[in-house]
């Protein structure tokens, strides 16, 4: 393997820069040339590709976002569009591609490895949602989790001062990990996640019982995959007459300097992706399971259903009485 490329795709996440840095430095260490593809798959189609050097990733490990930019690229589902991308890689003699992103991005990588004559692809899980099979954690999840916890702690101060119920809407797309982990860590009274059917009447009863016991405020963490915070407020009003406020944390969850955990994870996964390319692997994604680096075929990743830790959900429920 003499030349590889790296791109970031889908929603950005804190730690993507640290992952790119690891790919670039590990490859150069092994005398492999590295090319950066700007704007994800869009840059692959538009030939927005540049050679990266050691210095290209200097002063980068601590930065949020991705200096290669990211984009969603629905047109990459078209075979003719992918042919253009393959042409742009082949004309440079690029034999390996590292795709940092979510499982939508992995699908593009899988297609490329099938359709190009001589291209290995490896996925690196980069998303705040923690919704990718084959890894316990995705790059960016820990930072986003800490951002949410910090916000909920602040909201709790004002909830307590005004004796209000706050509904905090968090990201996660169809997965409840961000809501579950942040709800547990911030001591939320109620956690709504897509993996467990919500009973709004029961939640209203719980709030009422708490108020009857003299509880002054309540925090509900609602995953966006269940419903919006505003919808949740409307639903609650059908069963209980309380003063509620809604706070949608939005894209603040995607920004910020990556946590120590995310920097280490990104560095380990980025380095391992290059190792896999060097040993001839393709159409696989790297991950971390029980603190060990692992790799899983894209096919296997797509087949499995995302799940949450039910014991953890039960515990959060038990601790919030
Ligand atoms: O996948 C990351 C994520 O932030 C999700 O949590 C969220 O649903 C989505 O991206 C938002 O996407 P966009 O930034 O394109 O609005």
């Amino acid at each position: 393997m003499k030349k590889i490329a790296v791109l970031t795709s889908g929603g950005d996440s804190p730690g993507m820069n640290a992952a790119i840095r690891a790919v670039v430095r590990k490859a150069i260490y092994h005398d492999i040339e590295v090319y950066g593809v700007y704007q994800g798959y869009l840059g692959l189609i538009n030939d927005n590709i540049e050679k990266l050097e050691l210095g290209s990733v200097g002063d980068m490990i601590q930065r949020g976002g991705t200096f290669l930019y990211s984009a969603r690229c629905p047109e990459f589902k078209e075979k003719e569009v992918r042919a253009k991308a393959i042409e742009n890689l082949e004309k440079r003699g690029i034999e390996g591609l590292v795709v940092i992103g979510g499982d939508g991005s992995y699908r593009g990588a899988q297609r490329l490895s099938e359709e190009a004559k001589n291209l290995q692809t490896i996925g690196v899980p980069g998303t705040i949602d923690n919704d990718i099979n084959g890894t316990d954690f995705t790059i960016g999840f820990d930072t986003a989790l800490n951002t949410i916890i910090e916000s909920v702690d602040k909201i709790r101060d004002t909830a307590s001062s005004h004796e209000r119920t706050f509904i905090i809407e968090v990201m996660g797309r169809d997965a409840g990990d961000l809501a579950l982990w942040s709800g547990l860590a911030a001591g939320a009274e109620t956690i709504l996640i897509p993996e467990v059917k919500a009973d709004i009447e029961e939640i209203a009863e719980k709030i009422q019982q708490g108020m009857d016991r003299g509880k002054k405020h309540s925090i509900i963490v609602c995953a966006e995959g269940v419903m919006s915070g505003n919808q949740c407020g409307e639903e609650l009003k059908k069963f209980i007459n309380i003063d509620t406020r809604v706070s949608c944390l939005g894209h603040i969850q995607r920004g910020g300097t990556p946590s120590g955990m995310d920097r280490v994870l990104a560095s380990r996964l980025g380095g391992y992706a290059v190792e896999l390319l060097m040993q001839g692997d393709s159409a696989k994604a790297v991950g971390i399971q029980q603190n060990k680096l692992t790799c899983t075929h894209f096919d296997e990743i797509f087949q499995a259903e995302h799940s949450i830790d039910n014991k953890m959900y039960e515990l959060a429920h038990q601790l919030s009485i």
Side-chain angles (χ1 to χ4, degrees):
M1 172 100 15
K2 287 271 169 280
K3 292 182 186 181
I4 66 167
V6 56
L7 62 82
T8 47
S9 163
D12 65 339
S13 70
M16 278 185 162
N17 279 327
I20 302 166
R21 172 183 179 272
V23 170
V24 172
R25 298 227 165 148
K26 173 87 176 165
I28 294 177
Y29 179 86
H30 291 289
D31 292 324
I32 297 170
E33 276 182 23
V34 194
Y35 289 79
V37 182
Y38 290 84
Q39 295 175 312
Y41 287 119
L42 210 57
L44 214 48
I45 304 164
N46 299 334
D47 209 18
N48 195 356
I49 303 172
E50 270 172 25
K51 189 158 178 265
L52 299 175
E53 308 293 347
L54 284 178
S56 315
V57 290
D59 192 23
M60 212 38 94
I61 195 165
Q62 78 285 13
R63 295 198 189 180
T66 160
F67 82 94
L68 288 179
Y69 303 98
S70 192
R72 303 203 192 271
C73 183
E75 56 268 47
F76 209 69
K77 290 192 182 120
E78 311 296 326
K79 193 166 179 188
E80 314 79 71
V81 172
R82 291 195 298 271
K84 185 79 202 131
I86 292 171
E87 194 186 309
N88 289 332
L89 289 168
E90 280 177 352
K91 74 180 180 197
R92 290 182 175 83
I94 293 169
E95 303 151 295
L97 176 67
V98 177
V99 171
I100 306 168
D103 68 354
S105 312
Y106 288 2
R107 283 177 203 275
Q110 187 189 38
R111 292 271 181 279
L112 287 178
S113 61
E114 287 163 0
E115 291 161 13
K117 273 192 229 85
N118 184 25
L119 182 73
Q120 295 163 233
T121 61
I122 296 290
V124 175
T127 165
I128 63 164
D129 299 336
N130 209 40
D131 60 349
I132 305 182
N133 294 313
T135 189
D136 293 343
F137 296 106
T138 58
I139 298 165
F141 173 68
D142 183 64
T143 308
L145 172 64
N146 282 297
T147 302
I148 299 171
I149 294 169
E150 204 184 315
S151 309
V152 177
D153 287 350
K154 287 181 176 159
I155 289 171
R156 185 180 283 285
D157 289 345
T158 171
S160 153
S161 305
H162 288 267
E163 304 180 29
R164 279 173 177 158
T165 292
F166 262 86
I167 300 162
I168 301 161
E169 180 192 319
V170 302
M171 281 187 171
R173 205 179 285 276
D174 300 320
D177 296 50
L178 277 174
L180 175 57
W181 284 64
S182 64
L184 178 61
E189 277 70 25
T190 301
I191 302 169
L192 296 174
I193 54 173
E195 293 84 354
V196 180
K197 198 172 166 5
D199 183 337
I200 301 289
E201 190 170 1
E202 204 177 280
I203 294 167
E205 267 168 31
K206 185 176 171 188
I207 296 173
Q208 188 60 58
Q209 280 162 9
M211 283 162 58
D212 295 346
R213 279 199 334 258
K215 212 167 169 15
K216 300 288 186 209
H217 67 270
S218 196
I219 300 282
I220 299 172
V221 175
C222 176
E224 64 175 355
V226 176
M227 60 183 132
S228 73
N230 284 324
Q231 266 174 294
C232 180
E234 292 304 315
E235 290 294 317
L236 265 180
K237 272 193 200 136
K238 292 181 188 163
F239 301 102
I240 187 170
N241 182 22
I242 43 166
D243 192 16
T244 57
R245 291 290 186 278
V246 176
S247 195
C248 173
L249 298 186
H251 285 79
I252 193 171
Q253 296 162 94
R254 285 237 297 263
T257 190
S259 67
M261 291 299 281
D262 274 330
R263 294 183 202 194
V264 172
L265 180 64
S267 303
R268 290 177 76 187
L269 293 181
Y272 189 43
V274 175
E275 265 176 36
L276 290 182
L277 287 176
M278 286 167 63
Q279 67 192 41
D281 280 292
S282 184
K284 290 179 180 172
V286 293
I288 191 147
Q289 294 179 41
Q290 295 176 356
N291 201 27
K292 295 262 180 310
L293 293 173
T294 56
C295 72
T296 313
H297 270 282
F298 286 145
D299 280 338
E300 216 180 300
I301 290 179
F302 303 147
Q303 273 161 22
E305 282 271 305
H306 173 72
S307 59
I308 50 125
D309 183 335
N310 288 319
K311 287 292 279 178
M312 191 166 144
Y313 179 79
E314 270 169 41
L315 178 69
H317 187 68
Q318 290 159 1
L319 300 187
S320 67
I321 45 170

